[in-house]
Amino acid sequence: MGSSQTEQQTIAALVDQYRDLPGGLLPLLHAVQAEIGHVPDSAVMTIAKGLNLSRAEVHGVISFYHDFKTQPVGRNRVQICRAEACQSMGSRHLESYAKQRLGIDYHQTTDDGNISLEPVYCLGNCACSPSVRVNDDVFARVDQDRFDQLIADLGGE
Amino acid sequence: MRFFIPQDTSALACGAEAVAQALLDANIEPVRNGSRGMFWLEPLLEVETAQGRIGFGPVSDKDVATILKALESDASSHDLYLGAVDEIEYLASQQRLTYTRAGLGDPLCLENYQALDGFNGLKRALTMSPQQIVDEIKNSGLRGRGGAAFPAGIKWQTVLDAGATDSQKYIVCNADEGDSGTFADRLLMESDPYQLIEGMVIAGLAVGATQGYIYLRSEYPVAHRLLNTAIEKAMEANFLGDNIGQSGKSFYLEVRLGAGAYICGEETSLLESLEGKRGMVRAKPPLPAIEGLFGQPTVVNNVLTLAAVSTILAQGAKTYQDFGMGRSRGTLAIQLAGNIKRGGLIELAFGVTLREVVENYGQGTYSGRPIRAIQVGGPLGAFLPESQWDTPLDYEAFAAIKAMIGHGGIVVFDDSADMAAQARFSMEFCVEESCGKCTPCRIGSVRGVEVIDRIVANEDRDNNMILLHDLCDTMEQGSLCAMGGMTPFPVRSALTHFAQDFTGAGKGDN
Ligand SMILES: Cc1cc2nc3c(=O)[nH]c(=O)nc-3n(C[C@H](O)[C@H](O)[C@H](O)COP(=O)(O)O)c2cc1C
Ligand code: SF4
């Protein structure tokens, strides 16, 4: 339902690519998500069939991991570190500021579909906290001004 | 003159890319090295001059023009001039065995790696029998650096002895590094990835494994890219793959990405995840050494454990063993983080006190306010008040005060920290990250959050206090792994040492 034919073809091709890889389900899910942005419901059946698993098993794996999304997400992913090192440098303030600034809570996407906000537990940048990850880039010592600038750089609206 | 500007995550997070671009704009192609681990100086721009390698930091792209100008006359006149980088006290006073190459050059350059003693350990291992390699590791006293501090040599012996002679065995590197305040694995993988690869090949030779996996957390995209390229290059140069260095031995290596689950750092959960399943913790026995990945004998070791292996083989067990105190041998990769003026990686022999690290290296808090609490060993580690800061960094000494060194992360909090909020977070984190197998962990943590909220709100205080301790007892006793079993450690330490924060008076503002 709702999934285009090309999406189905993409998924089928990826399943073919990963089906013989030992323990290939996680790499496959990462690949699907990299191509489509999330793991659509329609993918679950194809993956289950291709990897000889039940749909419940595939679904169980998807739901276990924070990374995998079953709904479409924004064009950009903004993650704020919630872990202790960042807390010690005021990330709690940053979190509430970010939510208010974007008008969304964690796991939500701005109305224009530009930004999804997510929590993350540690980015390994703990000597230069607070840390924010925007797509694949990590930013150090993010205060409110710096956050505004990062968001402005993403355009949108 | 050669210029160096790191491609390490923290350096990039502090603006290294813009500095590199500014150099390119000035027609200078910098070497993209790893980081030295002095993150408070990042981006650290290094310049190889006739007088040796000098540094400037922390620099921004706007400083590049003035630095170039200063280099034409008197470099030391520049505000950001640091002098010879090797002589910076923070670095010069360390005892580096694992991070000797970190930040010196392009982490992907194989020639550079070999010029700096890389692959010497592997070359020696190729002349030894599996049992001799395992004995060397046993004699070094090396204990696992992932947290549990289990003797690496004993684990390897189990895997060497397990299964039939031709059974498939695996080497799994735990690169899930989930503890807040830790970045030592990341720094090693981004600054010196061949050292990890070398250690894994040696482990393969020791136990008879031909396939290795690096289970890397998805929060580390830079390390991911660098590791994949390093593996490709090592394959091309025949340090990996078939018939390594014409020895007749083979070893293959693959990086697998985690998917944002803290519990997958626990070794059996990690193995489930590698098999493509939910990361549910397995009951032990069977030990992974006997029935690990896909049911086969498997070595699971932390990044730093495997990296140390290459040093031990290159320099001998005795050299390694000579560092440290008591049963904690060798060096510890201390990671100084949180609210700290000079955060970074400090590699020292075991035995230095927490206070020495935080005061001498860290120079106090970033905010300039007094330190209030220090959390060592990640989210399951206790919050230590000042009376405990003279404890030496030694596994046994920390265990004796109901704390742990874990992976060596140190998170500093200043006096604005609200320790009731931190205790609540410890429970909240357990709610978020529990694998769900045991009720005390899964449900106990949810109740823990509620009870702490009630205590702070002054609702039926005495009874809720008793309830919280009961909950902690149940979690400690009834959990399969340390996630549920040790979440009470930070909670109880906050209750014991920072009781005033639980009175609901509203302490702190972070
Ligand atoms: C909740 C939990 C999380 C863990 N996370 C990690 C981790 O991120 N990295 C790691 O190396 N070990 C982690 N460990 C320890 C591993 O279970 C295991 O002891 C380690 O990988 C063994 O390697 P080592 O002996 O070289 O330390 C964790 C343990 C628990 C209980
Ligand atoms: S203690 Fe928690 S994380 Fe560990 S096995 Fe039990 S439920 Fe899973």
Side-chain angles (χ1 to χ4, degrees):
Chain A
M1 192 189 70
S3 69
S4 69
Q5 206 173 345
T6 51
E7 196 171 288
Q8 279 307 312
Q9 282 166 351
T10 306
I11 293 163
L14 289 172
V15 169
D16 271 346
Q17 194 184 328
Y18 286 94
R19 71 156 41 105
D20 295 325
L21 189 69
L25 182 53
L26 259 72
L28 171 58
L29 292 172
H30 275 302
V32 169
Q33 190 151 292
E35 285 292 324
I36 297 174
H38 67 292
V39 184
D41 263 352
S42 63
V44 174
M45 186 128 72
T46 320
I47 292 171
K49 228 166 124 193
L51 269 60
N52 234 335
L53 299 166
S54 72
R55 283 167 66 180
E57 280 171 307
V58 177
H59 193 77
V61 170
I62 294 170
S63 64
F64 185 85
Y65 297 95
H66 297 303
D67 277 3
F68 300 130
K69 310 290 170 202
T70 50
Q71 297 297 323
V73 289
R75 290 184 291 283
N76 297 288
R77 179 176 65 166
V78 173
Q79 293 178 306
I80 300 182
C81 179
R82 289 201 71 204
E84 290 88 341
C86 285
Q87 288 171 20
S88 79
M89 287 294 289
S91 65
R92 288 172 199 230
H93 286 309
L94 181 65
E95 273 185 292
S96 39
Y97 178 74
K99 290 178 186 177
Q100 174 229 316
R101 167 75 178 72
L102 295 171
I104 52 176
D105 206 338
Y106 281 137
H107 309 294
Q108 293 181 347
T109 302
T110 52
D111 286 339
D112 62 359
N114 196 35
I115 294 170
S116 292
L117 188 66
E118 287 174 21
V120 65
Y121 294 93
C122 198
L123 293 165
N125 183 43
C126 321
C128 312
S129 294
S131 306
V132 168
R133 178 173 171 181
V134 179
N135 300 319
D136 269 352
D137 294 319
V138 176
F139 296 89
R141 303 225 186 275
V142 181
D143 55 17
Q144 298 189 358
D145 289 344
R146 185 92 180 94
F147 186 80
D148 284 343
Q149 196 194 326
L150 292 175
I151 296 305
D153 289 346
L154 294 177
E157 239 106 331
Chain B
M1 270 194 287
R2 274 206 302 169
F3 290 73
F4 300 78
I5 187 80
Q7 52 176 313
D8 161 276
T9 295
S10 278
L12 293 173
C14 293
E17 201 57 47
V19 177
Q21 190 55 51
L23 288 166
L24 288 170
D25 292 344
N27 286 317
I28 294 166
E29 175 127 31
V31 175
R32 301 308 299 272
N33 57 334
S35 173
R36 304 268 199 159
M38 296 184 285
F39 290 132
W40 94 93
L41 289 176
E42 294 292 0
L44 171 63
L45 174 63
E46 294 186 56
V47 189
E48 209 168 56
T49 66
Q51 295 80 41
R53 208 156 138 168
I54 59 171
F56 299 87
V59 298
S60 82
D61 49 345
K62 304 196 177 52
D63 301 314
V64 168
T66 56
I67 290 172
L68 293 178
K69 189 124 199 0
L71 283 167
E72 285 170 12
S73 50
D74 175 15
S76 68
S77 66
H78 199 278
D79 283 349
L80 300 176
Y81 177 75
L82 299 165
V85 176
D86 284 335
E87 287 164 24
I88 297 173
E89 188 60 18
Y90 194 95
L91 193 59
S93 59
Q94 296 189 28
Q95 294 160 297
R96 288 197 168 186
L97 295 178
T98 294
Y99 293 89
T100 48
R101 281 174 293 260
L104 287 184
D106 174 357
L108 293 173
C109 176
L110 268 170
E111 292 70 34
N112 203 36
Y113 182 64
Q114 292 179 86
L116 296 167
D117 300 329
F119 290 124
N120 286 354
L122 175 60
K123 284 176 192 145
R124 181 159 164 252
L126 283 169
T127 67
M128 296 162 75
S129 72
Q131 188 60 57
Q132 283 172 327
I133 304 174
V134 172
D135 287 343
E136 189 82 10
I137 298 304
K138 279 188 194 159
N139 293 336
S140 72
L142 176 66
R143 292 165 74 180
R145 295 293 192 260
F150 188 81
I154 294 177
K155 185 182 287 184
W156 288 22
Q157 185 72 59
T158 310
V159 178
L160 172 60
D161 296 340
T165 34
D166 61 346
S167 57
Q168 175 71 60
K169 297 177 183 177
Y170 297 101
I171 307 298
V172 171
C173 169
N174 189 339
D176 200 48
E177 195 163 63
D179 293 355
S180 178
T182 66
F183 40 73
D185 296 347
R186 180 186 66 65
L187 179 64
L188 186 104
M189 293 184 285
E190 291 179 358
S191 295
D192 201 16
Y194 294 121
Q195 186 179 176
L196 173 59
I197 293 173
E198 179 177 357
M200 290 187 74
V201 179
I202 295 170
L205 295 173
V207 305
T210 52
Q211 176 69 50
Y213 291 100
I214 299 173
Y215 185 88
L216 178 71
R217 64 202 302 259
S218 61
E219 291 84 351
Y220 286 177
V222 175
H224 189 212
R225 182 171 51 75
L226 289 169
L227 280 174
N228 275 333
T229 313
I231 288 172
E232 252 171 60
K233 290 190 154 205
M235 281 289 281
E236 278 165 24
N238 195 218
F239 289 108
L240 275 176
D242 256 337
N243 195 15
I244 294 170
Q246 315 303 320
S247 65
K249 312 276 182 168
S250 310
F251 193 76
Y252 290 86
L253 189 51
E254 203 186 307
V255 181
R256 287 290 176 90
L257 275 191
Y262 177 77
I263 195 58
C264 288
E266 194 283 333
E267 58 183 3
T268 62
S269 164
L270 184 157
L271 293 174
E272 289 288 301
S273 184
L274 263 182
E275 291 181 6
K277 302 177 189 153
R278 293 162 71 88
M280 297 291 272
V281 173
R282 297 178 186 169
K284 291 188 252 188
L287 291 173
I290 293 168
E291 279 181 49
L293 187 62
F294 303 117
Q296 299 301 116
T298 303
V299 168
V300 184
N301 273 140
N302 174 254
V303 172
L304 299 184
T305 314
L306 290 162
V309 162
S310 57
T311 309
I312 291 164
L313 266 290
Q315 300 185 21
K318 172 80 171 55
T319 307
Y320 197 78
Q321 168 81 266
D322 282 347
F323 290 84
M325 73 175 271
R327 295 203 295 118
S328 306
R329 310 310 313 174
T331 53
L332 176 66
I334 300 162
Q335 299 134 81
L336 195 47
N339 197 329
I340 191 80
K341 196 185 276 170
R342 297 181 163 192
L345 183 115
I346 303 153
E347 183 177 354
L348 287 173
F350 286 94
V352 60
T353 68
L354 191 54
R355 191 187 295 278
E356 287 172 281
V357 172
V358 169
E359 290 179 358
N360 299 351
Y361 287 89
Q363 307 261 307
T365 61
Y366 186 82
S367 62
R369 302 170 68 113
I371 300 176
R372 181 139 190 260
I374 304 177
Q375 188 176 31
V376 183
L380 310 176
F383 292 105
L384 309 178
E386 179 159 12
S387 59
Q388 295 182 322
W389 299 346
D390 294 306
T391 312
L393 288 163
D394 160 73
Y395 292 118
E396 279 65 41
F398 263 64
I401 59 163
K402 285 219 126 207
M404 67 162 168
I405 290 183
H407 186 48
I410 296 178
V411 176
V412 175
F413 292 83
D414 75 8
D415 65 349
S416 68
D418 175 346
M419 301 313 291
Q422 293 308 137
R424 183 188 195 277
F425 176 80
S426 298
M427 285 290 189
E428 200 188 335
F429 186 66
C430 187
V431 173
E432 198 67 27
E433 301 297 330
S434 166
C435 83
K437 194 160 184 156
C438 334
T439 317
C441 172
R442 190 184 67 237
I443 309 290
S445 53
V446 176
R447 299 277 288 124
V449 173
E450 295 165 3
V451 174
I452 293 173
D453 282 346
R454 277 190 223 119
I455 292 172
V456 172
N458 250 325
E459 282 173 38
D460 197 9
R461 219 184 143 73
D462 295 348
N463 280 325
N464 276 313
M465 211 50 125
I466 295 170
L467 187 57
L468 182 56
H469 279 289
D470 282 352
L471 259 175
C472 285
D473 286 341
T474 311
M475 288 175 74
E476 279 177 29
Q477 287 152 21
S479 299
L480 189 56
C481 83
M483 179 84 232
M486 288 182 70
T487 290
F489 283 41
V491 175
R492 284 203 215 256
S493 64
L495 280 170
T496 308
H497 304 296
F498 305 96
Q500 65 274 34
D501 290 17
F502 291 80
T503 56
K507 170 101 189 53
D509 61 359
N510 72 339

